Amino acid sequence: MGPERRLRLFIYARILVAFLFLASTVFLNLNEPKAVDDSSYVAMVRLVGFSFLFSALSYFFLKFQRFRLFITHLQTIWDLLFVTVLLLFTGGVTSPYSFLYLLSIMSAGVMLRRKDAIQTASLCGILYGAIVDFQYFGLLAPIGLSQAAALQLGPMRLFYNIFLNLMGFYLAAFITGYLSVLAEESEEAFRAKSINYDELEQLSSTIVSNVESGLLTVTPEGRIRVFNRYAEELTGKSQADVYDLPLQEVLPAMASVIEDASGVSNGEFACEGPRGGNMILGYSAVPFNGLLGERAGTILNFKDLTSIKEMEQALKRRERLATLGELSARMAHEIRNPLAAMTGSVQLLVEHGSIVESDQRLLAIILREADRLNLLIDEFLSYARPAPPHKQPIELRELIEDLRLLLAADRRFGGVAIANLVPAALTVHADENQVRQVLINLLHNAAEASRHDGSVEIEASLQNGGLGAEAPVTRISVTDNGPGLSDEAMLHLFEPFWTTKPSGTGLGLAIIYRIIEGHGGCIKVESPLAGGCRFTIMLPA
């Protein structure tokens, strides 16, 4: 309790004492009219009323900081005067109100210092002793205090009263001062601990709010309590939105975790992001106990692993493709030499002219398949060892418009509308032939996926970031409205010789991947559940 609150408490006590004393005086005068003469009764009522008013004014001036110490001293002095005058009006040595001096001593001890309490006790002893002595010698007879009452008690009894009251005053001063010192020390210690706790609470709140992972706590019933900033950004919901909600409504995949969380558990799960699309979250669940050791809930720490998983898959794919590309290049060279010899021999046999017609047809099939195999080897080599790009500025809109007109005669694009949504004057620094090859392959795949009456949209824009830095990149997307891709197809999409087409070689997308990689860019695929497929290419601007 601070000094201001203690002072207020003592003022409340004075107001209450004044009120009770006034009420008891009025009640006594009504029931025993002769107990107090009229002049003393009026004087006592005025004294108590003035004390009541003085305490009320002191309470009002407590609002001003600069008056508090002055009011404390003034209130102590007023208490001494009030009790002294009260004793004079109520019989002096026979008055039952001498104990009210203790209120002044306690007030000084609590509100001021131990030295002030002892000084106040000394003043109380002096004032009380003076009243008793003056009454005994008849010096207070002019104000109505009879000498006979003091003489009747005798000098030894009066000395005994003064001694006991004086001892009581000093004892009260000592105890109150001692308790006041203990209270101040306790307040200082509590204030220091409170400051430490406040700092720790602020520090904990700052750490929880700014840690780069999601942090939430749930009760044993599965209701959310703490929900930090990262969790808000990850889920798109604020602390106020999710407070006391069941975890099942916010992160359904984690609801089963807390049901079985008897110890530390870790894992991963997939969920839908706030802006659509799937996210992969890694989590760690730890139960925690309350102050009494009871189960208080579970702490869940989780982090978005989507980009890390994508990087892992990209690295694995790159390593797989690099190994396969090196092997493919060696195999292509080994196959091409005997294939060339076989093709030359067959051509000599065909040109010889002594072969029957049925055998000539078989040889023609061999030549045709040999050409097809040779074409496959060329594609293989294009994938395994792509030519370094010769970069130059390319007007994307014009390039795509040329491709749209070129592919209009292709029967695979019959009924398929190609929308060129690329803004004018958007350029990219790249190898024009390689970019043309990439776009043609993507458009072929989109047309075959869209079948008849389909549509393909080509968009492009310039944006910051996207390749692991804040540098600007050119974003090109090819979107079709076909049935989309399966999870298995998404997993093996850029691997060579993996295809869903009956007559495909499985090298088209693998070559696209190597070309984009050679430009220092990246390519991503999205296939929403609603259908359709979008290939997005990021190239350095």
Side-chain angles (χ1 to χ4, degrees), residues 90-255:
T90 56
V93 295
T94 59
S95 174
Y97 298 112
S98 61
F99 73 92
L100 290 179
Y101 278 123
L102 297 176
L103 180 63
S104 301
I105 299 171
M106 292 170 59
S107 176
V110 172
M111 297 306 306
L112 300 171
R113 294 167 296 179
R114 182 186 300 180
K115 180 180 68 173
D116 297 302
I118 294 175
Q119 291 175 352
T120 305
S122 301
L123 286 174
C124 292
I126 293 172
L127 291 173
Y128 183 73
I131 292 174
V132 172
D133 290 341
F134 287 176
Q135 186 174 2
Y136 179 78
F137 290 108
L139 299 177
L140 300 179
I143 61 172
L145 282 180
S146 172
Q147 182 183 13
L151 294 175
Q152 185 177 1
L153 291 175
M156 292 302 299
R157 178 68 179 272
L158 293 178
F159 177 78
Y160 182 71
N161 283 348
I162 294 173
F163 177 78
L164 285 182
N165 278 278
L166 190 61
M167 291 299 101
F169 294 159
Y170 280 115
L171 184 62
F174 177 78
I175 295 175
T176 305
Y178 178 74
L179 294 177
S180 178
V181 171
L182 289 181
E184 288 181 0
E185 292 176 353
S186 300
E187 286 177 4
E188 290 295 331
F190 177 75
R191 189 178 300 110
K193 288 188 176 181
S194 298
I195 294 174
N196 292 337
Y197 283 129
D198 290 341
E199 290 178 354
L200 289 175
E201 182 180 1
Q202 180 66 26
L203 180 61
S204 300
S205 177
T206 303
I207 293 174
V208 169
S209 298
N210 295 284
V211 68
E212 287 303 317
S213 62
L215 188 67
L216 62 87
T217 61
V218 292
T219 63
E221 295 77 23
R223 294 189 172 273
I224 297 175
R225 288 296 185 264
V226 176
F227 202 74
N228 74 339
R229 178 186 57 81
Y230 185 93
E232 293 178 344
E233 295 175 355
L234 203 62
T235 60
K237 299 177 181 179
S238 66
Q239 167 81 71
D241 295 334
V242 303
Y243 185 79
D244 205 38
L245 283 181
L247 184 62
Q248 176 72 29
E249 296 183 13
V250 182
L251 294 171
M254 296 185 72

Side-chain angles (χ1 to χ4, degrees), residues 376-418:
L376 178 60
I377 291 174
D378 288 337
E379 291 183 355
F380 216 14
L381 290 173
S382 297
Y383 159 72
R385 293 178 180 175
H390 299 285
K391 296 183 180 181
Q392 59 184 1
I394 304 172
E395 292 280 350
L396 276 179
R397 183 176 180 84
E398 293 181 6
L399 175 62
I400 294 171
E401 191 64 25
D402 292 342
L403 293 178
R404 193 174 68 84
L405 296 175
L406 176 65
L407 297 174
D410 193 326
R411 54 184 173 81
R412 287 175 294 184
F413 287 84
V416 177
I418 301 177

Side-chain angles (χ1 to χ4, degrees), residues 10 16 51 58 67 148 153 186 249 251 266 358 385 454-455 503 520:
F10 273 97
L16 180 61
S51 178
S58 298
F67 292 134
L153 291 175
S186 300
E249 296 183 13
L251 294 171
N266 302 281
S358 59
R385 293 178 180 175
S455 64
S503 59

Side-chain angles (χ1 to χ4, degrees), residues 270-286:
C271 67
E272 185 177 356
R275 301 176 185 85
N278 291 328
M279 295 190 304
I280 299 176
L281 301 181
Y283 71 86
S284 174
V286 182

